[in-house]
Amino acid sequence: MKERLTELQAEALEKVKAAKDLRALNDVRVAFLGKKGRITEVLRNMGKLPKEERPVVGAYANEVRETIQRAIEEKMNQLEKEQMERELAEETVDVTLPGRPVRQAGRHPLIRIIEEIEDLFIGMGYRIAEGPEVETDYYNFEALNLPKGHPARDMQDSFYISEEILLRTHTSPVQARTMESHQGRGPVKIICPGKVYRRDNDDATHSHQFMQVEGLVVDENIRMSDLKGTLEVFAKKIFGDDREIRLRPSFFPFTEPSVEMDISCKICRGQGCSVCKGTGWIEILGAGMVHPNVLKMGGFDPDIYSGFAFGIGVERIAMLKYGIDDIRHFYTNDVRFLQQFYRQE
Ligand code: 2U9
């Protein structure tokens, strides 16, 4: 029986050695060590041996069993290692290959201007206020000293939804609402960025929908000089320290006195060119001291409080700053236009 075990051990070790993969190795294990395996079968016949031989053969059989088991384990480790190496070799990444280019997006030029304006005014202690784009006639016109019948609120100029509801024509109703919410107590110090709508035929310089940033300060002792200083800081921050400003008298129903602000033309340095139409100056915004009627309707006593307000057309600022000749470029989203702004942080 011992010889039989020795033969089986030699045969098993030979088959373990020849096993090409884990499956074949498992077949060897089942064939020799499994429940119905050949070594198990020999052990089952131990009962037929004379009593004194049984412990010796039994011990030998266990030795054979362990030898085969060890050989299988070693081979299994070796096969697993080989498989792992094969897989790693197949999955090797060539880190020297060039990558696929990723197209990077960027912020829209109008958003860049708005954020730049917001940063500047937040730095001067202003808050940002927002409001609805669909407005009531009251907040869009009435509260801003534009009573019914005023020429600036002609039905032809605005998008009316019903007799009392329209798309806001400026962001001024946000200021009117904010003033009202202060219940007659200052200070109010806000800027209002957002979309506005006017019935206009679209062309290179007009759009039926555009962006504004308007500002409002209401407190005791607010003067025209505060307005002028604020606007000068704004102009120099956006267009450069080398630009001069000037205020010209103007008219708006919601401010009195009203002004328009020009900056000196950078192209001709004040000499006169096609951009400034020969004047040396370029108009950039409108502003003024808040009309007493507007203060009153906003709940403020005009004998105690005064204020200034300004309105900035964002497209116009962006066109002047970046040299854009057609307002429609902002809305058509041609990537060739947009990507020119991507990397100018
Ligand atoms: C309140 C009081 C006063 C806002 C003002 C302007 C002057 C102005 C234009 C600039 C270019 C509009 O986008 S644009 O066409 N705006 O000139 N806006 S003062 O005055 C206000 C607003 C709200 C309560």
Side-chain angles (χ1 to χ4, degrees), residues 143-144 170-173 175-176 179 196 198 210-212 214-216 252 254-255 259-260 284-288 290-291 294 308-314:
L144 294 157
H170 41 193
T171 57
S172 312
Q175 283 112 290
M179 273 172 76
V196 301
R198 289 187 192 172
F210 60 100
M211 308 286 285
Q212 278 190 340
E214 289 198 344
L216 174 71
F252 303 109
F254 25 80
T255 47
V259 292
E260 277 174 309
I284 61 163
L285 56 80
V290 180
H291 196 290
V294 175
F308 68 71
F310 53 87
I312 302 165
V314 180

Side-chain angles (χ1 to χ4, degrees), residues 51-177:
K51 213 175 172 185
E52 61 282 8
E53 278 185 36
R54 279 183 214 159
V56 184
V57 176
Y60 186 62
N62 277 335
E63 225 174 83
V64 167
R65 209 186 155 78
E66 275 163 24
T67 304
I68 297 172
Q69 185 68 44
R70 243 191 337 270
I72 289 174
E73 273 164 21
E74 272 164 24
K75 182 76 180 183
M76 191 151 72
N77 289 341
Q78 181 201 329
L79 287 173
E80 275 172 354
K81 196 167 157 231
E82 280 171 13
Q83 185 166 339
M84 173 81 80
E85 273 162 10
R86 253 197 320 277
E87 278 172 12
L88 285 175
E90 275 166 20
E91 288 169 11
T92 302
V93 176
D94 182 353
V95 290
T96 64
L97 282 176
R100 289 190 195 96
V102 177
R103 278 178 60 169
Q104 201 179 355
R107 284 176 309 154
H108 192 279
L110 292 177
I111 299 297
R112 305 171 73 90
I113 297 281
I114 289 175
E115 287 179 358
E116 206 174 323
I117 297 173
E118 284 177 351
D119 285 351
L120 169 65
F121 280 98
I122 285 170
M124 294 197 282
Y126 286 67
R127 290 178 181 275
I128 294 170
E130 286 177 322
E133 288 177 23
V134 178
E135 258 300 354
T136 61
D137 184 275
Y138 176 79
Y139 287 113
N140 195 78
F141 290 133
E142 201 94 31
L144 294 157
N145 204 29
L146 281 141
K148 287 212 160 72
H150 194 285
R153 52 182 287 175
D154 194 318
M155 289 286 283
Q156 306 303 313
D157 296 334
S158 317
F159 289 109
Y160 273 88
I161 290 162
S162 70
E163 222 166 276
E164 291 299 320
I165 310 280
L166 74 159
L167 296 182
R168 68 183 181 193
T169 57
H170 41 193
T171 57
S172 312
V174 182
Q175 283 112 290
R177 285 172 180 277

Side-chain angles (χ1 to χ4, degrees), residues 287-300:
M289 300 308 289
V290 180
H291 196 290
N293 288 350
V294 175
L295 287 171
K296 251 185 257 171
M297 276 182 283
F300 283 81

Side-chain angles (χ1 to χ4, degrees), residues 251-278:
F251 173 80
F252 303 109
F254 25 80
T255 47
E256 183 58 38
S258 303
V259 292
E260 277 174 309
M261 183 169 85
D262 298 339
I263 50 162
S264 55
C265 182
K266 194 178 175 176
I267 298 174
C268 61
R269 305 239 160 241
Q271 300 305 299
C273 67
S274 65
V275 175
C276 59
K277 300 190 188 82

